[in-house]
Amino acid sequence: EAGAVHVFERDGDSWKQVASLRAPAPGNDDNFGASVAIDGDLIVIGAPGEDGGGALVDPLVDEERPNCGAAYIFRRIEGVWTFAHYLKPDDADLRRTRGFGASVAVAGDIVAVGAPEEGTRLATGGFLVPAARAGAVYAYVVEGDGFRFDGRLQAPDAEVGAEFGKSLAVSGLRLAIGAPGAGELRGKVYLMRRGS
């Protein structure tokens, strides 16, 4: 279950496979391809079972954080889909992140990666208490041929089991984030906008 993504393009009245994409360092149960988003010449692929312990953009590949998750960026260059970047959560979140890459979204120069299994701490009665699977979303911005980590997003009313980031959609500077476990399992969608 290392995973793969197959790319098809419309060819007249039919579809033609043009690429088969895999992680540059595949591992057992990485689930590469569990989520996929495409915009123009950019494909973002989630691998929520990936075990790397590196942080941010293009860290060294290792197997130190089981099921932390990862996202991969592929670019189409002169008609060929080529691996370009490897995304991970930031250092401070590695210890609590699980399933990073369960959802991905891309539009223009914004890439978002969901980590719905990530835990956090909630302020309750003057104490910080653990909140399992509250969820988080990580935002990245395209800068030329590179990527920059742009922030970690959480629900303003984070709660246990909300799974904030289970689904994502991005358009322009707006991001819609699904949290199916929020509101006593009634679910919520959060709309966020990036400041200029």
Side-chain angles (χ1 to χ4, degrees):
E1 297 182 14
V5 170
H6 304 283
V7 183
F8 291 78
E9 290 182 358
R10 190 74 172 159
D11 184 17
D13 294 331
S14 62
W15 290 93
K16 176 179 68 175
Q17 184 171 343
V18 296
S20 182
L21 309 179
R22 288 175 172 78
N28 290 334
D29 301 316
D30 278 359
N31 291 311
F32 176 91
S35 60
V36 180
I38 184 170
D39 184 30
D41 292 330
L42 210 63
I43 292 180
V44 184
I45 301 170
E50 197 267 349
D51 300 326
L56 301 176
V57 180
D58 298 326
L60 294 175
V61 177
D62 59 40
E63 297 287 314
E64 295 180 2
R65 292 284 178 177
N67 298 319
C68 177
Y72 298 83
I73 306 293
F74 286 77
R75 288 184 183 273
R76 183 168 52 185
I77 302 172
E78 296 182 356
V80 178
W81 287 102
T82 304
F83 169 69
H85 297 286
Y86 168 58
L87 307 180
K88 297 290 289 183
D90 65 64
D91 280 308
D93 300 315
L94 283 170
R95 66 183 180 278
R96 60 178 172 237
T97 300
R98 294 291 183 275
F100 177 91
S103 61
V104 295
V106 57
D109 64 351
I110 296 177
V111 170
V113 181
E117 297 178 34
E118 182 169 311
T120 190
R121 292 185 178 275
L122 303 179
T124 303
F127 297 94
L128 289 175
V129 297
R133 296 186 354 270
V137 171
Y138 293 79
Y140 300 83
V141 175
V142 179
E143 291 188 335
D145 292 332
F147 278 78
R148 172 176 57 83
F149 173 64
D150 197 50
R152 176 177 177 267
L153 309 176
Q154 280 192 290
D157 56 349
E159 56 185 285
V160 174
E163 295 192 321
F164 177 86
K166 185 85 169 184
S167 57
L168 292 171
V170 62
S171 177
L173 298 178
R174 293 169 297 186
L175 183 61
I177 302 169
E184 298 179 352
L185 298 179
R186 290 189 298 272
K188 295 181 182 179
V189 173
Y190 297 82
L191 300 178
M192 297 192 172
R193 182 179 177 87
R194 187 171 186 265
S196 56

